[in-house]
Amino acid sequence: MQDLPEADRIKIRRLAMQDFTFFLPTRVVFGCGKVRRVGEECRRLGGKKAFVITGTTATATSAGFAAMLESMREADLPFEVYDRIEHDPTLEAIEAGRQAALQCGADLIVAYGGGSPMDAGKAVAMFATNKGAVEEYLSVKKVFKLPGLPFLAIPTTAGSGSEVTAAMVIRDDERKQKTGLSHPLAFAKTAVIDPETHVSMPPAVTAATGMDALTHAIEAYTSKSHQPFSDAFCLQAIRLIGENLRRATGNGADLAARSRMAAASTLAGVGFTFASLGSVHGLAHAIGARFEVPHGVANALMLPYVMEASIIADMPRFRDIAAALGENISGLSLRDAAFAAVDAVNILKADLDIPRCLTDVGVRERALKDITEDALAYRLRPLAPRDFCRADFQRILNRAMGKP
Ligand SMILES: [Fe+2]
């Protein structure tokens, strides 16, 4: 190949696999009862005082949370609990968390809960060492320069995958926007995943967060920046979710299903970190910033509509998804096999009692124009399998509103 003219070498290289890097800096400690190892894991990170972030809901009074705090006492690790993170943390909540963490002199951030507390913990860890207002990082794209405080994440839902991603979603109520910040320095040092802490999750939360994880895996598997490592994580996540999300929702005490969903969520988190999300998330963030719709529900609502509009861009990948979700695709044409993935998602949604239309969750017609503009501006849109234009988004949203 070295003997060939440069023009020919370029042509040949275009046929090669896309270049990629893969690096997972998070130590993953997985298993039932592992929440009792958190104190030891904090010590392993060299922490002398932990700032423990959790939500304002029942999580802070749960047995799992108590067991985690007990493990910190046993490890002789002082800590301060900060239980003021509501769902979808706002930039004001992150600022307040940063001030509280600095005031208490913490040198380690621990987050216990779903995607919101984990994103908040990740953000507080980064903003504790990086100067400037949170707002500057969102609006004028100021960039993190320094590593954050060491961050340890304990997910109590199987959805966001935030324990292994570099991303954090922050809500800006003034601009009615949800913005994703991401930086390679923001990964958690350690993720402790204990499926026993998932058992008390209500069925609706299990279903919605599970659909979030499925959306991560499907969007990453079909993104233009997919690569063999992310493919492996995404396909296994899709398989595990297809086999276990109904069980985990129908019987929360089913630890086998809970364990597999917990693993699937983490796998999908790794998958989308090294590939990308796409227009389902672009639309879901725009919807969630304007209406009280949980992130997983917004994703589940938009997922089949975006999938069916995306299929022509990469039918073999959607066929793979159908197979991973357990559809019998033997004897089907490539097109029919690819569309079987949409059917599988719609049936899963129906089994889980997830709303079918945007109108079911209170989305108003007059908001569609702004939602479309936000989806067009979504930073990861260029990596989605199909390049949707304004008219495409309007069509997708009309379908999701229940119009023909
Ligand atoms: Fe998500």
Side-chain angles (χ1 to χ4, degrees), residues 179-219:
T179 308
L181 275 182
S182 180
H183 195 279
L185 291 170
F187 284 100
K189 288 273 184 278
T190 306
V192 176
I193 303 161
D194 184 342
E196 279 180 4
T197 65
H198 296 198
V199 165
S200 55
M201 212 191 323
V205 180
T206 302
T209 51
M211 289 301 295
D212 184 27
L214 179 63
T215 307
H216 295 159
I218 290 177
E219 293 213 280

Side-chain angles (χ1 to χ4, degrees), residues 217-230:
I218 290 177
E219 293 213 280
Y221 187 71
T222 56
S223 83
K224 288 193 189 95
S225 58
H226 65 78
Q227 37 107 325
F229 279 54
S230 61

Side-chain angles (χ1 to χ4, degrees), residues 36-335:
R36 287 185 277 277
R37 278 264 300 271
V38 170
E40 191 186 323
E41 291 295 332
C42 288
R43 279 291 182 203
R44 205 172 179 275
L45 294 174
K48 293 190 176 57
K49 183 166 185 185
F51 186 70
V52 181
I53 293 181
T54 190
T56 53
T57 54
T59 317
T61 54
S62 67
F65 191 70
M68 180 189 74
L69 295 185
E70 189 51 35
S71 79
M72 290 183 169
R73 288 186 198 100
E74 282 167 11
D76 244 347
L77 181 78
F79 60 83
E80 185 166 312
V81 173
Y82 187 79
D83 60 356
R84 280 173 241 163
I85 297 299
E86 296 182 358
H87 73 91
D88 299 333
T90 58
L91 55 92
E92 292 83 6
I94 303 301
E95 283 288 8
R98 161 160 76 174
Q99 294 310 324
L102 291 172
Q103 259 167 27
C104 86
D107 60 359
L108 171 73
I109 307 294
V110 173
Y112 182 98
S116 297
M118 285 194 291
D119 281 9
K122 200 181 291 176
V124 167
M126 290 303 290
F127 285 112
T129 55
N130 286 277
K131 290 194 167 49
V134 176
E135 204 267 336
E136 292 176 78
Y137 289 75
L138 297 179
S139 59
V140 296
K141 307 291 177 209
K142 191 175 162 86
V143 178
F144 293 118
K145 293 275 189 325
L146 299 170
L149 292 178
F151 172 53
L152 187 149
I154 303 117
T156 60
T157 60
S160 75
S162 180
E163 67 278 9
V164 285
T165 75
M168 54 208 108
V169 176
I170 300 174
R171 203 174 80 216
D172 182 342
D173 281 344
E174 207 179 300
R175 290 190 179 84
K176 284 198 169 70
Q177 277 178 349
K178 277 170 118 180
T179 308
L181 275 182
S182 180
H183 195 279
L185 291 170
F187 284 100
K189 288 273 184 278
T190 306
V192 176
I193 303 161
D194 184 342
E196 279 180 4
T197 65
H198 296 198
V199 165
S200 55
M201 212 191 323
V205 180
T206 302
T209 51
M211 289 301 295
D212 184 27
L214 179 63
T215 307
H216 295 159
I218 290 177
E219 293 213 280
Y221 187 71
T222 56
S223 83
K224 288 193 189 95
S225 58
H226 65 78
Q227 37 107 325
F229 279 54
S230 61
D231 286 352
F233 283 86
C234 293
L235 276 181
Q236 182 64 353
I238 295 167
R239 275 188 208 106
L240 287 170
I241 294 166
E243 289 166 4
N244 294 284
L245 181 51
R246 290 176 177 88
R247 279 174 60 183
T249 303
N251 175 13
D254 183 339
L255 259 183
R258 288 291 194 194
S259 299
R260 285 160 179 80
M261 280 304 302
S265 166
T266 304
L267 288 167
V270 176
F272 86 75
T273 294
F274 296 98
S276 174
L277 295 175
S279 291
V280 182
H281 270 75
L283 288 159
H285 286 327
I287 292 164
R290 292 173 173 79
F291 299 94
E292 286 289 315
V293 185
H295 175 63
V297 173
N299 274 328
L301 274 161
M302 296 313 306
L303 180 59
Y305 300 107
V306 174
M307 283 173 74
E308 67 184 4
S310 304
I311 277 176
I312 58 165
D314 196 342
M315 286 202 270
R317 290 214 154 232
F318 285 96
R319 176 198 55 196
D320 295 347
I321 291 166
L325 285 172
E327 292 292 298
N328 182 0
I329 56 166
S330 66
L332 295 184
S333 67
L334 173 60
R335 185 183 182 282

Side-chain angles (χ1 to χ4, degrees), residues 309-376:
S310 304
I311 277 176
I312 58 165
D314 196 342
M315 286 202 270
R317 290 214 154 232
F318 285 96
R319 176 198 55 196
D320 295 347
I321 291 166
L325 285 172
E327 292 292 298
N328 182 0
I329 56 166
S330 66
L332 295 184
S333 67
L334 173 60
R335 185 183 182 282
D336 287 350
F339 274 94
V342 181
D343 296 340
V345 169
N346 274 325
I347 293 166
L348 178 60
K349 275 176 62 180
D351 287 350
L352 299 174
D353 282 335
I354 286 179
R356 202 174 165 79
C357 286
L358 289 174
T359 47
D360 298 336
V361 294
V363 173
R364 305 277 169 77
E365 179 84 34
R366 62 173 181 269
L368 298 187
K369 202 163 166 277
D370 290 340
I371 292 171
T372 298
E373 294 309 312
D374 279 7
L376 276 169

